[in-house]
Amino acid sequence: MTTEFRQRRGRGRVTKDILRNGDVLSAAALAALGVYVFAEAWSWPYYNEDGPGPGFFPVWYGVVMVVLSLALIAMTIAKLPRAETPDWQGISRALITWAAFAISAALMGWLGFLVSFALLTFFMITYVFRQPAVTAGVAAVIAAAAFYLVFPFALSVPLPTGVFGF
Amino acid sequence: MIIRLSPALAALALVAASAFPAHAQFKPTKQIEFVVHGGPGSGNDVFARQLSTIIDQEKLAPVRVQVVNKPGGGATTAANYMASKKGDPYTIACFTNIWLLNPLVQKAAVNRLQDMSPIARLVVEPALVVVLADSPFKTLAQFIDAAKANPGKLKWSGGSILSRENTVRQLLMQKTGARWQFISFPSGGERLAALLGGHVEMMIVDPSEAVEQIRGGKFRAIAQVSEHRLPGFPDVPTIKEAGFDIPNVPQMRGIVGAPGMSPEAVAYYEDLFFKVSQTPAWKKFLTDSHLDGEFVRSAQLKPFLINFEGTLREILKGTGAKVVR
Amino acid sequence: MDVLNGLLHGFAVALQPTNLFWCFVGCFLGTVVGILPGLGPAATIALLLPLTFKMDPAGGIIMLAGIYYGAKYGGSTTSILLNIPGESSSVVTCIDGHAMAKNGRAGPALGIAAIASFVAGTFGILALTLLAPPVASFALQFSSPEYFALMCLGLALVVLLSGPSLIKGLMSLFLGLWLTSIGTDLFSAQARFVFGQSELLGGMDFVVVAIGVFAIAEVLASIDGGEKARMLPVPKGVRNLLPSWEELKACRFAFINGSVTGFIIGVLPGAGSAISSFIAYGIEKAFSKHPEKFGHGVPEGVAAPEGANNSDSGGALVPLLTLGIPGGGTTAIMLSALVLWGVRPGPLLMTESPDVFWGLVASMYIGNVVLLILNLPMVPVFAQILRMPVHVLFPVILGISLVGAYGVGGRLFDVGLLVGFGLLGYTMVKLKYPTAPLILGFVLGDAMERALRQSLTMSQGDLGILVRGWISATMLACAVLILLLPLLGRFNKARVQAIAEGG
């Protein structure tokens, strides 16, 4: 069946499918990681008079990582499925959420946990979930207040503080 | 890629966090952070909590001294944290040898003990060389002779390569030409279990950890790593007395402040810990844990640390470790 | 003093009103600490230690132990409801526990976790009461080759955790092995894969990795799902908030499995409760009649690991109380607490301080009952959390995750790592790489490398040391057997197909 696909789609399409296949791409990335692991580990002592050195274990799993990745690439290409069009809308929504999360984490040292968390909540509710700004504002303030009451206040678990002192 | 990105973000945040203005003058009005480099329950943690408890019970400070655990990477995490608190008079730490050793062997460990504000050295810790109670080795010399006869067959359990256990082993091996294996275990419990189970023949251990095993008839001490015999073990020879003339490797514990701490703050803490060292509770703790409590003041501590780092560097080089600084 | 007399004496101590009170306080605090990520039992005990100096040692240790085993009870709550593993021992509970919550069975999952904890926790104490000295000497027979074999056995479970593609499961496992070797090598003080970052010299904390890969990734994937990301169903009525009789019956074997596995692994000072819960889950799945349902919300998948990590607490106290050897961070601080109170923990503790030893043991029977009574009524309350609208629930999950990651060491660096691991986990979910093997590799990889290197150092490079002892040889054989399971499965499938086609 797969050969049939391939014949129908022609050479150029196949190459394109291979290059767009998530399994191939991720396996290639892992193969690169395996090569990196192996190269780093190779520079450390493999075995010394006291026993196995720091390179002993990583050298081996580096090699296995490369082998496994190449095997996955080979297996994927052998029965190359038709490239699925990913749901870019969903993915971009997730990635924007992640970016917001990352930015709020980065701001945490400056604004403190409570402010950056409230901003994150506000952004997620308005932008990702398309709720009215008023709802988002109320929810953000209540959520931040609840976190304050539970963690630093009731349990004296420290949270990152910022320029405002909280 | 992902892994590379996140440290960059966090580094950014750290820079932002450290931009606090330094206090112009010092008076303890809020909680003092007392940083230790081990997790809760580690030797260093217990030591610091003992100090903090005495300060609390004897009301030696107007504020609480709160122990904060910053474990990881030997003492690197704790040292980094101290460096991030530059100039802060409310952050002090409990240091041990590892604070000096880490930067010596690791390029990435950039925050050195000498860069912090030395406050006081509180104790020097001796150690015991112990075997199982039914072991054929009655003296250290017998062990070393056996190791010479069977190179690489005998084993010690201990901590990391930088630990005192390994340093003493390296020095003894150099001195005598004998060879035996050193098995690293991350936790003290595993080291004890390895000896109790008979999987290794010998270990070097803190007296406080060994004393119950000795009393319970499991272990026997055959030598002690100390300048002079401990009061609790008058019949056990020091390594030197056992016939092996190697330099003593002291394990010390003391207090430093964040880098750039004001002289007024340093003087305050020096005085605070001196008061602690005079309390009966502290003296009892020292006796119970078999510690040598010689108080060394801030002024003498800095030159001592620089000097001691030199000694450690020489010992490390002698044992073949890779020294980067 | 024989066991019965000892236990009677212990109950006399534990049932004194003040000690009962401390037992309750400890269990309550433990539950709270277990539920909230960012608070660990070890740190909590350390924090409360100064308060216990005025108490008598029996009361003190009763309370601290309550925090210790109570935290494991509470640990399952966030795992099941929010996919946030608060403690390392409750990671495995996320797999089927959160799947049950997504199927509208959050209440039953919480209930089963509480019951399994009670059954296995009580079994662990019973075993501690009756078997402590012989079991302790068994634990001492474990040397590095045995630990290596145990870790191999654990890693072989990847076969059972991989889902449809074994090769992707293996790659996820190896990624975990790599991540766990980041940091300073114990044996040589060599810094490995730290990219010049001194923050990485200490390695990465398990909680940060697990929260990122599980909780954050789950939130991102749900947001990606868009329309599907509706509220999690929480059916009305008490009947649906507690486990059904069928669900409990399905867990019969899991209760026994969790109890025994947890205790045996708990006794070993070099293992940890995360390992026992992984292995109990693996055993459960390997012997199940419907292994394909695991990961989609089966009650056994909750009962086995939850039972194991609670039975583990009883096991971990064996070396602590009979030999004076702490197995992990929490037991280490309990040991130092005993020292600070003037009790001398070691081989003589049982005979010299019977009040402490037997009082503690007896109080744990009581504590387990207290915990069950504390936890079961809370189940319906906690299950209501999922009624929150998704647009509030998701930010709250992210917030709790942030607190959890920061709570590990008070470093913003860990928060940065959490962000990174969230993206990694999401990418893995999108590309259909299973994430559980990554955690498995991360938990066991380090211990396995250590055990292997210790063994080879002991034997001066002779690999034969790994199979010379009967314990290690047996475990390695089991590991090989597990690794061969998929081949057998394929063979079986082919056979069934052949029969079907033939008929």
Side-chain angles (χ1 to χ4, degrees):
Chain A
M1 202 170 70
T2 46
T3 35
E4 225 173 284
F5 268 142
R6 226 171 266 185
Q7 279 157 6
R8 221 184 305 151
R9 281 184 292 181
R11 245 220 175 99
R13 277 298 285 285
V14 172
T15 323
K16 218 170 170 186
D17 275 0
I18 291 175
L19 291 178
R20 271 169 46 188
N21 186 291
D23 285 358
V24 174
L25 290 179
S26 59
L30 284 166
L33 177 65
V35 170
Y36 164 76
V37 166
F38 180 82
E40 278 282 281
W42 195 248
S43 68
W44 304 325
Y46 178 77
Y47 213 97
N48 57 30
E49 54 183 7
D50 277 340
F56 179 75
F57 201 56
V59 161
W60 286 105
Y61 69 69
V63 169
V64 177
M65 274 169 110
V66 175
V67 172
L68 284 174
S69 316
L70 296 181
L72 180 58
I73 293 177
M75 277 162 64
T76 315
I77 292 178
K79 47 172 184 184
L80 190 67
R82 193 186 276 276
E84 288 170 37
T85 15
D87 166 22
W88 285 113
Q89 215 184 343
I91 293 177
S92 67
R93 215 168 27 225
L95 288 181
I96 287 171
T97 310
W98 178 79
F101 181 56
I103 291 169
S104 97
L107 288 177
M108 212 161 273
W110 176 46
L111 295 175
F113 175 84
L114 296 173
V115 176
S116 52
F117 173 63
L119 289 177
L120 173 67
T121 309
F122 183 80
F123 175 82
M124 279 179 72
I125 297 177
T126 51
Y127 185 82
V128 182
F129 292 102
R130 309 263 172 223
Q131 300 287 321
V134 182
T135 322
V138 172
V141 170
I142 292 179
F147 268 82
Y148 174 77
L149 285 179
V150 173
F151 291 104
F153 184 76
L155 297 166
S156 59
V157 172
L159 296 177
T161 51
V163 284
F164 309 114
F166 57 79
Chain B
M1 271 170 298
I2 302 151
I3 316 293
R4 267 176 200 277
L5 186 65
S6 52
L9 279 175
L12 212 83
L14 258 179
V15 170
S18 58
F20 287 114
H23 291 253
Q25 52 185 359
F26 179 72
K27 196 169 186 283
T29 51
K30 61 167 195 179
Q31 182 168 300
I32 295 162
E33 276 198 342
F34 192 9
V35 177
V36 297
H37 65 256
S42 62
N44 206 43
D45 176 71
V46 175
F47 183 81
R49 283 180 201 283
Q50 185 70 35
L51 286 166
S52 139
T53 307
I54 292 176
I55 294 174
D56 206 40
Q57 282 175 345
E58 311 272 335
K59 300 193 173 38
L60 298 176
V63 290
R64 253 184 83 92
V65 177
Q66 180 63 49
V67 172
V68 184
N69 300 93
K70 298 282 172 190
T76 324
T77 307
N80 289 346
Y81 181 76
M82 292 301 283
S84 79
K85 292 281 184 167
K86 195 169 169 47
D88 179 14
Y90 290 98
T91 311
I92 56 176
C94 181
F95 70 87
T96 65
N97 289 12
I98 193 76
W99 289 63
L100 284 171
L101 285 165
N102 264 328
L104 284 181
V105 295
Q106 277 174 343
K107 258 204 173 61
V110 288
N111 293 306
R112 306 169 73 178
L113 186 58
Q114 301 92 306
D115 303 336
M116 317 214 172
S117 312
I119 290 170
R121 191 188 80 189
L122 296 177
V123 297
V124 173
E125 285 188 1
L128 294 174
V129 182
V130 295
V131 293
L132 278 179
D134 55 9
S135 159
F137 306 119
K138 308 276 185 229
T139 64
L140 190 57
Q142 283 175 2
F143 176 87
I144 297 212
D145 288 340
K148 271 186 193 153
N150 307 286
K153 289 273 183 264
L154 298 178
K155 301 169 285 282
W156 276 16
S157 66
S160 96
I161 190 174
L162 296 179
S163 63
R164 170 165 57 175
E165 299 95 277
N166 187 42
T167 314
V168 170
R169 160 180 170 261
Q170 295 281 6
L171 290 169
L172 279 173
M173 291 201 313
Q174 274 170 19
K175 191 84 190 168
T176 61
R179 267 203 65 75
W180 61 94
Q181 304 295 89
F182 183 77
I183 319 291
S184 292
F185 291 92
S187 79
E190 287 168 74
R191 284 166 225 160
L192 284 174
L195 182 57
L196 280 172
H199 309 298
V200 299
E201 282 77 26
M202 193 179 273
M203 75 185 287
I204 291 187
V205 59
D206 292 346
S208 55
E209 275 182 88
V211 72
E212 277 309 295
Q213 306 290 348
I214 294 172
R215 219 166 55 86
K218 303 270 185 195
F219 285 177
R220 185 173 62 222
I222 59 171
Q224 42 187 316
V225 186
S226 172
E227 288 288 358
H228 44 79
R229 293 189 187 193
L230 295 170
F233 300 91
D235 304 327
V236 180
T238 66
I239 289 187
K240 205 167 274 179
E241 289 167 349
F244 302 95
D245 189 13
I246 57 166
N248 186 40
V249 189
Q251 165 82 12
M252 46 161 195
R253 290 187 200 277
I255 312 293
V256 288
M261 188 183 261
S262 68
E264 296 84 5
V266 170
Y268 173 80
Y269 288 116
E270 185 183 23
D271 184 50
L272 174 66
F273 284 101
F274 182 74
K275 280 184 200 150
V276 173
S277 73
Q278 300 303 308
T279 57
W282 180 248
K283 291 192 168 138
K284 181 176 182 306
F285 173 73
L286 290 182
T287 321
D288 287 352
S289 354
H290 305 272
L291 298 173
D292 194 348
E294 187 200 346
F295 191 86
V296 173
R297 288 185 168 274
S298 172
Q300 292 101 52
L301 185 55
K302 184 137 199 169
F304 168 80
L305 289 179
I306 292 170
N307 200 358
F308 189 49
E309 190 196 41
T311 315
L312 288 175
R313 185 186 287 117
E314 287 317 304
I315 293 178
L316 280 180
K317 274 185 185 158
T319 60
K322 209 171 73 191
V323 177
V324 296
R325 280 192 177 84
Chain C
M1 198 182 304
D2 69 350
V3 171
L4 192 65
N5 277 332
L7 203 58
L8 284 176
H9 176 70
F11 272 107
V13 174
L15 285 170
Q16 287 164 13
T18 43
N19 288 343
L20 263 181
F21 174 72
W22 290 126
C23 179
F24 179 82
V25 170
C27 289
F28 177 75
L29 284 174
T31 307
V32 173
V33 162
I35 291 173
L36 294 169
L39 267 174
T44 310
I45 292 179
L47 208 67
L48 291 177
L49 202 51
L51 301 180
T52 61
F53 287 124
K54 292 175 190 85
M55 295 160 57
D56 88 302
I61 194 78
I62 284 172
M63 182 179 87
L64 298 190
I67 298 174
Y68 170 57
Y69 57 79
K72 292 191 175 170
Y73 257 82
S76 56
T77 310
T78 45
S79 301
I80 291 170
L81 294 175
L82 310 174
N83 211 20
I84 300 177
E87 321 285 333
S88 58
S89 52
S90 52
V91 175
V92 192
T93 314
C94 286
I95 303 173
D96 272 278
H98 191 61
M100 278 182 82
K102 286 205 283 193
N103 299 339
R105 306 290 295 160
L110 289 170
I112 283 169
I115 293 167
S117 300
F118 172 74
V119 173
T122 308
F123 174 89
I125 306 155
L126 200 65
L128 166 69
T129 316
L130 299 174
L131 304 172
V135 165
S137 58
F138 165 76
L140 287 180
Q141 286 181 26
F142 263 65
S143 178
S144 304
E146 282 77 21
Y147 280 108
F148 174 72
L150 177 68
M151 300 306 154
C152 285
L153 188 59
L155 287 175
L157 297 176
V158 65
V159 169
L160 298 163
L161 292 169
S162 288
S165 167
L166 178 59
I167 197 163
K168 284 187 172 177
L170 285 172
M171 282 162 72
S172 171
L173 178 83
F174 276 86
L175 195 58
L177 286 184
W178 174 64
L179 290 170
T180 195
S181 58
I182 291 176
T184 309
D185 174 38
L186 173 76
F187 295 77
S188 60
Q190 167 85 46
R192 298 194 290 186
F193 311 113
V194 296
F195 308 101
Q197 299 280 328
S198 65
E199 281 88 352
L200 281 177
L201 283 175
M204 290 180 292
D205 193 274
F206 166 79
V207 169
V208 177
V209 180
I211 295 181
V213 167
F214 277 168
I216 310 284
E218 166 90 12
V219 168
L220 294 177
S222 305
I223 287 176
D224 178 342
E227 301 309 310
K228 281 172 273 168
R230 291 257 173 262
M231 260 183 258
L232 298 182
V234 181
K236 288 216 165 74
V238 181
R239 185 179 279 265
N240 287 315
L241 286 171
L242 290 171
S244 68
W245 184 241
E246 283 73 40
E247 280 169 322
L248 284 177
K249 235 169 85 182
C251 293
R252 276 173 310 183
F253 178 69
F255 290 145
I256 303 170
N257 163 22
S259 302
V260 176
T261 311
F263 183 76
I264 293 176
I265 295 177
V267 170
L268 306 172
S273 55
I275 297 172
S276 65
S277 54
F278 265 114
I279 290 189
Y281 184 84
I283 292 177
E284 198 58 38
K285 188 170 177 183
F287 287 95
S288 170
K289 287 197 194 86
H290 46 79
E292 72 285 350
K293 289 191 191 156
F294 276 70
H296 302 289
V298 287
E300 306 96 283
V302 177
E306 268 310 300
N309 76 40
N310 283 281
S311 181
D312 180 280
S313 338
L317 290 176
V318 170
L320 180 79
L321 297 174
T322 56
L323 304 168
I325 295 178
T330 316
T331 41
I333 191 150
M334 284 161 67
L335 182 86
S336 48
L338 288 172
V339 177
L340 292 179
W341 295 322
V343 178
R344 308 168 93 177
L348 301 176
L349 177 81
M350 244 166 126
T351 42
E352 284 184 354
S353 310
D355 275 15
V356 171
F357 180 84
W358 290 109
L360 171 62
V361 170
S363 83
M364 287 174 69
Y365 286 99
I366 301 168
N368 263 283
V369 178
V370 169
L371 281 167
L372 192 67
I373 297 171
L374 270 177
N375 277 270
L376 271 186
M378 294 303 283
V379 166
V381 181
F382 282 129
Q384 303 306 317
I385 291 176
L386 297 182
R387 283 191 196 278
M388 257 197 260
V390 161
H391 60 261
V392 179
L393 183 63
F394 284 177
V396 166
I397 294 179
L398 294 183
I400 295 178
S401 303
L402 287 169
V403 174
Y406 186 74
V408 163
R411 300 191 301 169
L412 284 166
F413 184 79
D414 287 327
V415 173
L417 285 179
L418 176 76
V419 171
F421 282 113
L423 187 60
L424 175 69
Y426 171 67
T427 314
M428 288 175 72
V429 171
K430 282 307 276 185
L431 296 173
K432 301 196 172 62
Y433 283 82
T435 46
L438 184 146
I439 303 295
L440 183 72
F442 192 86
V443 174
L444 302 186
D446 190 34
M448 171 176 156
E449 174 182 7
R450 236 167 24 222
L452 178 61
R453 286 168 69 184
Q454 285 161 354
S455 306
L456 291 180
T457 309
M458 288 177 179
S459 70
Q460 294 185 286
D462 174 15
L463 282 167
I465 190 175
L466 299 175
V467 289
R468 221 158 276 150
W470 68 269
I471 303 177
S472 57
T474 314
M475 282 193 292
L476 282 176
C478 287
V480 172
L481 215 65
I482 294 176
L483 282 174
L484 293 178
L485 268 180
L487 293 179
L488 286 175
R490 202 166 292 165
F491 172 74
N492 204 28
K493 210 180 277 169
R495 197 177 53 109
V496 170
Q497 209 169 3
I499 293 170
E501 277 168 7

